[in-house]
Amino acid sequence: MIDVGTNNEKLLKDPLYLGLQEHRLEGEEYVEIIDEFMEAVFSRWPNVIVQFEDFQSKWAFRLLQRYRKTYRMFNDDVQGTAGVAIAGLLGAVRAQGRPMIDFPKQKIVVAGAGSAGIGVVNAASRTMARMLGNNEVAFESARSQFWIVDAHGLITEERVDIDPDARPFARRKSELTHQGLNEGASLIEVVKKVKPDVILGLSAVGGLFSKEVLEALKDSSSSRPAIFAMSNPTKNAECTPEEAFSIIGEKVVFSSGSPFDDVDLGDGKIGHSNQGNNMYLFPGIGLGTLLSGARIVSDGMLQAAAERLASYMKEEEVLQGIIYPPTSRIRDITKEVAAAVVREAVAEDLAEGYRDMDARELARLSEEETVDYVKNNMWNPVYPTVVYKKD
């Protein structure tokens, strides 16, 4: 943990506060501290992988862009959250009985424009664009599938002082006229007009998906709309599975960032509560990066991780509304995700090998052999039992 001070005046005056009793560093001074840390840690441990966690939104993107081409690092809040969300979004398409290639047709309303929200939108739009051909037309088409709502309402190009990271997804004036919306339109208005396939919550505002919002989603153009209430902890979840299933009905696909119990819908039917937690991806991303010897964590490696998670669930499970595996299978999914990351690193010519396995040997491994390679290099938390006996 890097302590750069606090702006909490109460803590600054508290003699028992153990942190740095100075105001938080800002601007270039802050960047210099993180620069110094990155240079030092990679000088001491050249093969380390740094996972950024819980950085302020205003720094998350800036630091990610600053270091990602130079160091082996990734930001879990931006990229891990995005990957898990993409896997869930692709799973939601499968739950509708459609192939994942139909993902670019999904209309998605996003509540929250912080680092996690914009990170998900960026990654999801890239996934859509790749499916559409990865050209300028594809990126424009992908962009048009998202409606971002923050604390001030719908973000449009008419917004004053718009966040640069959100600007590419601001709705255009010509689109607003067609949609019957305007700058600052409320979440309820946007859901009513857009009739989205998915509402995605990354707002950290508990209960944001109110009864009115959920009622509006009943008019979704999808036969099986999806709700992603991804904010943590539990009290910040945009809605609960009970609220979602009781208002919208048994067809809804529900996922949250926090753990919730499944919902008994009666007549032997279960409303599945999926937990879209980053734990499904970041161990596998780190392990795959390590075992491939890749010097950076590329977008392609992250994409491969998300797609493997999305395809992990069996068809019969997905059609029941189960889009993420149970935590009891976490080691197996980590192995599969890591193998997908290794294969992508090889495909992108980023792999440099690990220990006795050089890049050429990695490239010769089949898909099944890559999974075995990962499995054989995973740490197993098994310890001998020690029994102390009294004489």
Side-chain angles (χ1 to χ4, degrees), residues 155-174:
I155 298 177
T156 75
E157 62 183 3
E158 297 178 338
R159 175 75 60 93
V160 178
D161 296 328
I162 189 169
D163 186 322
D165 295 314
R167 186 179 298 281
F169 299 96
R171 302 303 295 193
R172 293 169 186 167
K173 198 170 182 179
S174 56

Side-chain angles (χ1 to χ4, degrees), residues 310-331:
S311 62
Y312 182 80
M313 303 305 295
K314 295 183 177 69
E315 200 66 24
E316 58 268 27
E317 294 172 314
V318 172
L319 292 176
Q320 291 175 43
I322 306 171
I323 57 175
Y324 292 114
T327 53
S328 59
R329 286 151 73 179
I330 191 65
R331 285 183 64 82

Side-chain angles (χ1 to χ4, degrees), residues 13-72:
K13 296 171 184 174
D14 186 347
L16 298 180
Y17 178 58
L18 299 178
L20 190 64
Q21 285 186 295
E22 298 175 8
H23 284 102
R24 284 184 67 92
L25 287 180
E26 295 292 346
E28 290 308 309
E29 282 187 307
Y30 177 90
V31 175
E32 286 171 12
I33 286 288
I34 311 300
D35 279 352
E36 186 177 342
F37 168 79
M38 294 296 281
E39 289 168 13
V41 79
F42 279 93
S43 294
R44 177 63 183 83
W45 297 287
N47 297 315
V48 76
I49 301 164
V50 173
Q51 176 178 318
F52 278 59
E53 191 82 37
D54 290 341
F55 276 67
Q56 284 180 304
S57 293
K58 66 179 181 179
W59 291 116
F61 280 105
R62 181 175 172 183
L63 296 177
L64 177 60
Q65 297 309 321
R66 187 176 182 86
Y67 303 129
R68 64 176 313 196
K69 299 296 183 187
T70 310
Y71 298 112
R72 293 211 297 185

Side-chain angles (χ1 to χ4, degrees), residues 167-274:
R167 186 179 298 281
F169 299 96
R171 302 303 295 193
R172 293 169 186 167
K173 198 170 182 179
S174 56
E175 296 170 332
L176 295 178
T177 305
H178 171 68
Q179 293 162 354
L181 293 167
N182 49 44
E183 162 62 36
S186 70
L187 180 61
I188 295 173
E189 288 179 276
V190 174
V191 173
K192 282 182 176 177
K193 296 286 186 181
V194 174
K195 303 183 190 306
D197 299 279
V198 179
I199 55 172
L200 177 60
L202 288 155
S203 66
V205 179
L208 182 66
F209 295 166
S210 63
K211 181 181 178 182
E212 291 76 17
V213 171
L214 296 175
E215 288 280 1
L217 190 61
K218 289 168 76 172
D219 292 328
S220 166
S221 53
S222 172
S223 61
R224 196 168 195 181
I227 296 171
F228 288 79
M230 302 295 280
S231 295
N232 284 311
T234 306
K235 65 183 177 66
N236 288 349
E238 284 78 8
C239 72
T240 66
E242 288 87 353
E243 291 165 340
F245 286 107
S246 65
I247 293 172
I248 300 176
E250 64 183 62
K251 281 293 185 182
V252 71
V253 175
F254 180 86
S255 180
S256 59
S258 297
F260 284 99
D261 292 331
D262 289 341
V263 179
D264 185 351
L265 302 176
D267 297 327
K269 295 178 180 177
I270 298 293
H272 292 283
S273 179
N274 297 280

